[in-house]
């Protein structure tokens, strides 16, 4: 999953979200965490602040919709209203990127995330932990998808320790 924050104490927001996710009862090891990257906002309102972005991967004993519900509760607990407008600055954003080999296309959830292969702010941290992963519906590895993106979006490694 991807974590992003561009309001308030972005690092504390990310740390709180990571802790809450890893404390979910059905989350199991192994747990992989990328570095945190500072990135320019993509598709947000004018003058939006930079994001901190990271990726987590773990085993989960349950179904993706159950996990999504838990993630929405974590966002709510950390200060994101359920009706928060899309592509507007936010204290925390948690996106379920993929769930093993499952392909899903419902009103609630699309797996894998339909635009993740186009987003440097997702692929760069994902390449930290799973560079050779081939996502469902793709034929290239994460590393190859990242290499084919243009350099238009700035991504800077901020910290490994979070």
């Amino acid at each position: 999953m991807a974590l992003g924050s561009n309001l308030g104490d972005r690092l504390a927001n990310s740390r709180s979200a990571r802790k809450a996710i890893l404390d979910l009862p059905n989350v199991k090891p192994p747990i992989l965490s990328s570095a945190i990257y500072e990135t320019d906002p993509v598709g947000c309102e004018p003058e939006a602040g930079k994001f901190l972005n990271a990726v987590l991967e773990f085993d989960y004993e349950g179904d993706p919709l159950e996990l999504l519900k838990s993630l929405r509760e974590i966002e709510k607990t950390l200060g994101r209203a359920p009706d928060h407008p899309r592509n507007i600055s936010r204290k925390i954003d948690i996106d379920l990127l993929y769930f093993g080999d499952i392909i899903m296309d419902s009103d609630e959830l699309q797996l894998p995330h339909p635009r993740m292969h186009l987003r440097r702010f997702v692929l760069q941290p994902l390449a930290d932990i799973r560079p050779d992963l081939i996502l469902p519906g793709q034929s290239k590895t994460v590393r190859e998808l990242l290499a084919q993106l243009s350099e238009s979006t700035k991504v800077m490694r901020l910290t490994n320790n979070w």
Side-chain angles (χ1 to χ4, degrees):
M1 74 190 41
L3 304 176
S5 176
N6 78 329
L7 291 178
D9 186 336
R10 302 170 302 158
L11 186 56
N13 297 340
S14 299
R15 285 178 171 152
S16 295
R18 180 180 186 269
K19 181 181 182 333
I21 291 165
L22 298 182
D23 285 347
L24 291 173
N26 292 342
V27 170
K28 306 295 179 202
I31 296 165
L32 304 174
S33 298
S34 74
I36 289 186
Y37 291 83
E38 187 172 61
T39 66
D40 289 334
V42 175
C44 285
E45 76 277 10
E47 307 303 319
K50 292 184 181 228
F51 276 83
L52 292 188
N53 292 103
V55 169
L56 297 175
E57 183 184 274
F58 48 82
D59 283 346
Y60 185 79
E61 292 179 356
D63 68 69
L65 289 174
E66 175 187 315
L67 178 56
L68 180 66
K69 181 179 177 187
S70 296
L71 298 177
R72 295 298 169 248
E73 283 299 315
I74 290 169
E75 286 181 332
K76 184 178 174 184
T77 300
L78 295 177
R80 181 175 176 168
D83 60 350
H84 186 86
R86 233 179 122 130
N87 298 325
I88 298 295
S89 291
R90 48 215 174 263
K91 189 173 179 182
I92 194 68
D93 185 37
I94 306 171
D95 287 327
L96 189 52
L97 299 175
Y98 55 92
F99 198 93
D101 292 330
I102 292 177
I103 296 175
M104 179 182 273
D105 190 2
S106 71
D107 290 340
E108 287 183 90
L109 181 60
Q110 291 179 297
L111 291 172
H113 190 287
R115 293 170 302 284
M116 68 181 282
H117 66 286
L118 303 172
R119 294 179 167 173
R120 182 173 300 280
F121 64 87
V122 172
L123 291 176
Q124 188 69 60
L126 186 55
D128 283 356
I129 61 172
R130 295 293 304 269
D132 297 319
L133 174 68
I134 298 176
L135 297 160
Q138 295 291 325
S139 60
K140 296 180 179 180
T141 66
V142 167
R143 179 184 299 120
E144 291 168 332
L145 291 170
L146 181 60
Q148 74 185 23
L149 291 179
S150 72
E151 294 295 324
S152 62
T153 306
K154 292 181 184 175
V155 176
M156 181 181 75
R157 181 178 283 221
L158 189 64
T159 183
N160 290 330
N161 300 320
W162 63 293

